């Protein structure tokens, strides 16, 4: 009879025990857990502290008693494995409560000890108001401290997944939160512009960010940074990383890997044929890089636990490795990563490129659409997808899963371009964001649309002189633009190409990158040879600038719009009547903006009145004389063309379509206004 001993519970260990029981009805299965809890939802801890999860009991997935009842597994909590006698196949343990020593025989041993939060040896780190978050006990200690002491200022040290989730949780508990991060930006594993999107969300909710700075000392009411900055802190959360628990394995003489974890083969077997490893403590194969890495994530740990149990019971299930897919939600913003970044790819000697697009998560005409950002990293020669990142308020998770599937299946850019996705106006687009990203990547690969991501562009511009052309509308340009850029709205570009220098490097950008591509093709068609479209347009430029200070261009951004935790997540548009009822001029020429109220509020032709196209027909009586001079316009000229048909149908004889806003503004300026 097999005697399976598993050291460690939670994700990998508890999963291994459950799988082992399903495979074998008569195996003797034992779990040795050093802590008090055998199986709990450690990923849910921040959400209990923040109040999203109301019931603590929901975080407890299994108790020792329920686990034994369901899986006939002997569970020993508060039991620390002190030594492995590999020759005699015995695990020696100590009960941390009583000091009692016990021995457990095994035929197969599974190590699933996970990791532990890194505790820096800093002055003041041992004070009562300094915490880490890893176990239910840690969670309870934090919650009790907040309830009892009512801290007003919190400092989170570390801008990774747990750090940012706890930043939101502490803000929801009414604290002013500051984040200290040694890297140039939070979420150091993500591209600068993706991290910039998250940073803007943090700043919007009043979080103070101290990046490129390290914690030096913790006092009773403040922390001191390595540059001397002092930050108020009634409580401190240390979240600077996790170190694998390896002491037991090292002392047993098991082989360690170059990445700093327990070395296992494709069956998760260690250097001892009778011992397997799973979870955060092991090294695993990165499916893109093809080398051993450490990826401490719950998903891979659960799968490894299953596979380790199978192989310990005689199966031969090979673990294919991981691509490191992970995602974070901070307030309302979401960002995720899968595979490898462009920087990581090039560091490994892979000839890779990347593109970024921003597209609505569902059709723009259906209410509630939000832009979702998709970055795709691919091998230049083959088009194979190497990785990707996504960000947004709705739909980022869905697109990340598609990219993760593409990376795992070694799909190519062309595969994504031709892939069918679920479409309905409330749920998606006929051309999904993933399709669009693939189209842009194909255009870059073929040279049809020379493109650079913002990270690449910032480096590329070193010691180069470039003419920036902003093809957005004048109102967007006036709010913020790259220093020195020339504003030529796309609709007016073709008529003004003769004014541009033929032999100079030209960089074109719009809001999202789409019209930038159109502008590039216009310039190429006019004979310009040195033109680059800024991938992701102004949104990418601004997100990048939120994360790091550009070295080779200047973009001054206004402060993000302030948000509060108490406002409704659904934006409500209020109708504001600027004038009370009064005598109306029904004969003088008028300009009608047929866009929506939201578009009109963003910026409009001087003196124009807003009558959205959907309202025009029943507001015809307001327009007065049928021979009145009426000029209609919209964003592009399409809606105003329909508006003109409506007016003609009602007998208006002196109405015209002024076209898009850009043309109207050009007309206004040429008139000397």
């Amino acid at each position: 009879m097999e005697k399976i001993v598993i050291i460690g519970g939670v994700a990998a260990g508890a999963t291994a025990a459950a799988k082992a029981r399903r495979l074998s009805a008569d195996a003797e299965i034992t779990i040795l857990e050093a802590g008090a809890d055998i199986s709990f939802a450690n990923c849910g801890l921040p959400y209990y502290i923040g109040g999203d999860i109301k019931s603590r009991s929901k975080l407890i997935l299994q108790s020792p008693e329920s686990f034994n009842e369901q899986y006939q597994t002997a569970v020993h909590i508060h039991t620390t494995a002190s030594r492995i006698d590999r020759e005699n196949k015995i695990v020696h343990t100590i009960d941390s409560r009583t000091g009692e020593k016990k021995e457990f025989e095994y035929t197969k041993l599974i190590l699933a000890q996970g990791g532990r939060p890194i505790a820096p040896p800093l002055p003041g780190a041992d004070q009562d108001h300094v915490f880490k978050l890893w176990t239910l006990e840690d969670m309870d200690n934090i919650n009790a401290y907040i309830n009892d002491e009512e801290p007003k200022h919190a400092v989170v040290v570390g801008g990774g997944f747990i750090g940012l989730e706890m930043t939101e949780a502490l803000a929801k508990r009414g604290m002013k939160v500051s984040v200290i991060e040694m890297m140039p930006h939070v979420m150091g594993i993500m591209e600068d512009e993706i991290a910039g999107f998250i940073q803007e969300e943090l700043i919007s909710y009043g979080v103070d960010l101290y990046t490129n700075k390290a914690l030096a000392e913790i006092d009773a009411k403040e922390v001191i940074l390595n540059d001397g900055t002092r930050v108020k802190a009634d409580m401190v959360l240390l979240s600077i990383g996790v170190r694998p628990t390896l002491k037991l394995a090292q002392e047993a003489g098991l082989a360690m890997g170059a990445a700093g974890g327990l070395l296992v083969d494709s069956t998760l077997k260690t250097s001892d044929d009778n011992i397997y490893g799973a979870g955060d403590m092991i090294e695993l194969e990165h499916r893109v890089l093809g080398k051993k890495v450490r990826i401490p994530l719950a998903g891979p740990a659960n799968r490894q636990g299953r596979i380790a149990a199978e192989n310990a019971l005689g199966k031969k299930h090979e673990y294919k490795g991981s691509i490191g897919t992970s995602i974070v939600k901070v307030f309302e913003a979401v960002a995720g990563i899968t595979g490898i970044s462009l920087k990581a790819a090039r560091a490994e000697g892979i000839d890779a490129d990347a593109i970024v697009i921003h597209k609505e998560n569902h059709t723009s005409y259906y209410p509630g659409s939000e832009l979702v950002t998709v970055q795709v990293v691919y091998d230049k020669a083959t088009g194979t997808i190497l990785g990707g990142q996504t960000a947004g308020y709705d739909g980022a998770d869905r697109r990340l899963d598609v990219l993760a599937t593409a990376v795992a299946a070694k799909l190519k850019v062309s595969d994504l371009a031709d892939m069918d996705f679920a479409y309905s106006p409330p749920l998606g687009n006929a051309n999904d964001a993933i399709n669009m990203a693939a189209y842009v990547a194909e255009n870059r690969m073929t040279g049809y649309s020379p493109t650079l991501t913002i990270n690449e562009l910032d480096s590329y511009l070193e010691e180069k002189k470039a003419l920036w052309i902003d093809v957005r509308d004048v109102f967007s340009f006036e709010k913020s633009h790259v220093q020195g850029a020339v504003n030529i709205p796309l609709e007016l570009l073709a008529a003004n190409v003769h004014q541009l220098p033929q032999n100079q490097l030209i960089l074109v950008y719009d809001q999202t990158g789409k019209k930038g591509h159109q502008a590039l093709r216009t310039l190429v068609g006019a004979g310009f040879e040195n033109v680059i479209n800024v991938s992701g347009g102004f949104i990418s430029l601004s997100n990048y600038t939120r994360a790091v200070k550009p070295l080779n261009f200047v973009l001054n951004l206004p402060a993000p719009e302030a948000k509060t935790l108490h406002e409704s997540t659904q934006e409500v548009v209020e109708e504001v009547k600027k004038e009370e009822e009064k005598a109306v001029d029904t004969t003088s020429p008028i300009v009608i903006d047929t866009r929506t109220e939201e578009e009109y509020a963003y910026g409009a032709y001087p003196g124009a009145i807003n009558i959205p196209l959907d309202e025009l027909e029943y507001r015809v009586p307001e327009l007065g004389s049928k021979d009145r001079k009426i000029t209609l316009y919209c964003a592009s000229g399409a809606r105003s063309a329909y508006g003109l048909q409506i007016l003609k149908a009602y007998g208006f004889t002196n109405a015209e379509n002024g076209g898009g806003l850009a043309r109207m503004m050009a007309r206004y300026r040429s008139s000397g206004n």
Side-chain angles (χ1 to χ4, degrees):
M1 180 179 68
E2 293 284 5
K3 292 184 177 180
I4 309 296
V5 173
I6 302 167
I7 303 178
V10 195
T15 300
K19 182 63 174 179
R21 176 55 68 217
R22 289 193 293 269
L23 289 171
S24 173
D26 58 1
E28 184 180 299
I29 305 172
T30 303
I31 296 180
L32 308 176
E33 169 57 50
D37 304 292
I38 181 62
S39 181
F40 65 95
N42 51 354
C43 295
L45 304 184
Y47 302 104
Y48 176 78
I49 293 171
D52 300 286
I53 297 173
K54 306 298 182 185
S55 174
R56 182 186 186 278
S57 63
K58 287 189 175 181
L59 298 174
I60 302 172
L61 306 179
Q62 291 278 5
S63 68
E65 295 77 16
S66 66
F67 203 93
N68 183 40
E69 181 179 355
Q70 185 173 353
Y71 297 109
Q72 299 81 56
T73 296
V75 178
H76 300 266
I77 59 174
H78 298 291
T79 300
T80 301
S82 58
R83 183 168 69 89
I84 301 172
D85 180 349
R86 291 169 54 192
E87 183 176 352
N88 296 303
K89 297 182 182 176
I90 295 173
V91 177
H92 295 265
T93 68
I94 299 174
D95 189 309
S96 59
R97 298 163 296 184
T98 65
E100 180 185 2
K101 297 181 179 181
K102 287 185 178 180
E103 297 177 356
F104 295 87
E105 294 182 359
Y106 67 85
T107 58
K108 291 294 188 289
L109 177 64
I110 299 175
L111 298 178
Q113 293 178 278
R116 288 290 181 271
I118 296 172
L122 292 172
D126 58 348
Q127 296 178 80
D128 290 342
H129 70 300
V130 181
F131 301 92
K132 64 182 187 309
L133 182 62
W134 197 246
T135 66
L136 284 170
E137 182 181 7
D138 295 334
M139 180 190 77
D140 291 337
N141 289 338
I142 292 171
N143 202 49
Y145 183 83
I146 295 173
N147 288 335
D148 295 342
E149 303 299 328
E150 298 182 350
K152 298 294 187 292
H153 297 88
V155 164
V156 174
V157 184
F161 291 96
I162 295 176
L164 295 189
E165 288 165 358
M166 278 301 295
T167 295
E168 177 183 345
L170 297 177
K172 286 181 174 179
R173 295 294 290 270
M175 280 170 260
K176 170 68 175 178
V177 186
S178 301
V179 176
I180 316 299
E181 172 55 58
M182 287 182 62
M183 300 291 285
H185 54 69
V186 302
M187 297 307 299
I189 65 171
M190 294 183 179
E191 294 285 359
D192 297 335
E193 66 172 280
I194 303 296
F197 171 74
I198 292 294
Q199 290 198 173
E200 179 166 343
E201 183 79 350
L202 289 165
I203 295 169
S204 294
Y205 279 95
V207 175
D208 289 337
L209 299 178
Y210 297 85
T211 55
N212 267 325
K213 302 179 191 295
L215 180 65
E217 184 178 344
I218 303 173
D219 285 346
K221 289 293 181 182
E222 64 181 6
V223 300
I224 304 170
L225 309 187
N226 59 348
D227 65 349
T229 302
R230 293 175 178 268
V231 183
K232 290 181 180 180
D234 301 320
M235 72 171 289
V236 178
L237 178 81
L238 300 176
S239 181
I240 59 177
V242 176
R243 183 174 288 122
T245 304
L246 298 173
K247 184 174 183 289
L248 181 69
Q250 290 170 332
E251 291 178 349
L254 298 176
M256 299 293 128
L262 178 63
L263 187 64
V264 296
D265 66 12
S266 61
T267 66
L268 302 181
K269 188 193 308 178
T270 69
S271 54
D272 185 316
D273 287 344
N274 299 303
I275 302 177
Y276 294 80
D280 293 357
M281 68 185 296
I282 72 166
E283 292 187 0
L284 51 86
E285 186 89 0
H286 195 289
R287 294 175 69 169
V288 178
L289 297 175
K291 68 178 185 180
K292 294 285 188 177
V293 295
R294 287 187 55 247
I295 300 180
L297 293 171
N302 275 279
R303 289 186 288 279
Q304 293 155 21
R306 290 171 55 88
I307 294 171
E310 290 182 48
N311 294 332
L313 287 167
K315 307 288 185 182
K316 191 171 175 59
H317 184 162
E318 293 196 356
Y319 179 56
K320 294 181 180 179
S322 174
I323 55 176
T325 306
S326 52
I327 195 164
V328 67
K329 176 181 175 294
V330 185
F331 297 106
E332 299 303 317
V334 174
I337 180 172
T338 189
I340 57 175
S341 66
L342 179 61
K343 181 178 180 180
R346 291 178 174 175
E348 291 292 328
I350 302 172
D351 191 14
D353 270 342
I355 57 84
V356 176
I357 64 102
H358 310 279
K359 183 174 175 59
E360 295 84 0
N361 64 314
H362 60 66
T363 52
S364 59
Y365 59 79
Y366 187 88
S369 69
E370 297 275 5
L371 287 178
V372 60
T373 298
V374 175
Q375 183 197 61
V376 178
V377 182
Y378 56 90
D379 185 292
K380 287 172 63 175
T382 66
T384 302
I385 308 297
L386 304 173
Q389 298 180 33
T390 64
Y393 292 100
D394 189 13
D397 53 344
R398 169 180 158 188
R399 276 74 187 189
L400 185 68
D401 285 340
V402 172
L403 292 179
T405 303
V407 172
K410 300 186 184 305
L411 298 182
K412 301 181 186 301
V413 166
S414 57
D415 294 319
L416 293 184
D418 292 337
M419 193 169 288
D420 292 340
F421 296 102
Y423 164 60
S424 174
L427 302 172
N429 287 284
N431 276 323
D432 188 78
I434 294 292
N435 297 127
M436 294 303 300
Y439 300 156
V440 174
E442 287 181 324
N443 286 340
R444 179 172 182 177
M445 291 174 68
T446 60
Y448 181 68
S449 184
T451 300
L452 289 176
T453 64
I454 309 302
N455 288 68
E456 294 176 286
L457 184 66
D458 201 7
S459 301
Y460 177 79
L461 286 175
E462 188 173 357
E463 299 182 359
K464 288 186 177 68
K465 184 178 180 181
L467 172 63
W468 292 77
I469 299 179
D470 186 324
V471 298
R472 298 175 300 156
D473 63 78
V474 62
F475 303 106
S476 298
F477 180 81
E478 288 175 350
K479 284 180 171 63
S480 181
H481 57 267
V482 174
Q483 192 174 95
V486 176
N487 181 218
I488 308 177
L490 178 64
E491 297 86 343
L492 308 179
L493 183 60
N496 289 277
V497 293
H498 63 281
Q499 300 178 16
L500 303 176
Q502 279 275 353
N503 299 319
Q504 190 173 351
L505 170 63
I506 295 178
L507 305 175
V508 294
Y509 70 90
D510 71 321
Q511 188 70 6
T512 66
K514 181 180 179 181
K515 289 186 177 180
H517 165 67
Q518 295 175 250
L520 179 143
R521 293 307 307 167
T522 297
L523 293 174
V524 170
F528 290 79
E529 297 180 352
N530 198 8
V531 186
I532 294 173
N533 180 25
V534 177
S535 189
F538 184 79
I539 293 176
S540 287
L541 285 164
S542 59
N543 286 344
Y544 179 84
T545 304
R546 294 284 185 207
V548 296
K549 183 178 180 180
L551 298 176
N552 296 298
F553 65 88
V554 177
L555 177 61
N556 296 314
L557 294 170
E561 181 181 348
K563 301 178 181 178
T564 72
L565 290 164
H566 307 294
E567 66 184 0
S568 170
T569 56
Q570 181 177 357
E571 192 174 322
V572 179
V573 180
E574 296 182 355
E575 287 191 29
V576 179
K577 299 295 184 183
K578 293 184 178 180
E579 297 182 11
E580 299 294 333
E581 292 184 7
K582 60 182 181 180
V584 178
D585 182 358
T586 60
T587 58
S588 299
I590 58 169
V591 175
I592 298 176
D593 185 323
T594 62
R595 298 175 300 161
T596 65
E597 292 176 347
E598 294 92 339
E599 292 173 296
Y600 177 77
Y602 190 80
Y605 183 88
I609 62 172
N610 182 217
I611 304 180
L613 179 61
D614 292 339
E615 301 177 12
L616 184 60
E617 187 166 6
Y618 68 79
R619 291 181 63 178
V620 162
E622 301 175 22
L623 302 182
S625 172
K626 292 292 193 296
D627 61 354
R628 186 180 194 181
K629 173 69 173 178
I630 301 176
T631 302
L632 300 95
Y633 78 91
C634 61
S636 65
R639 280 174 283 181
S640 50
Y642 280 101
L644 181 61
Q645 293 178 25
I646 292 171
L647 295 189
K648 286 183 175 180
Y650 277 88
F652 286 86
T653 59
N654 199 15
E656 67 171 358
N657 180 12
L661 177 61
R663 293 193 182 281
M664 289 295 293
M665 292 305 299
R667 178 190 300 183
Y668 178 76
R669 287 173 172 172
S670 65
S671 68
N673 291 300

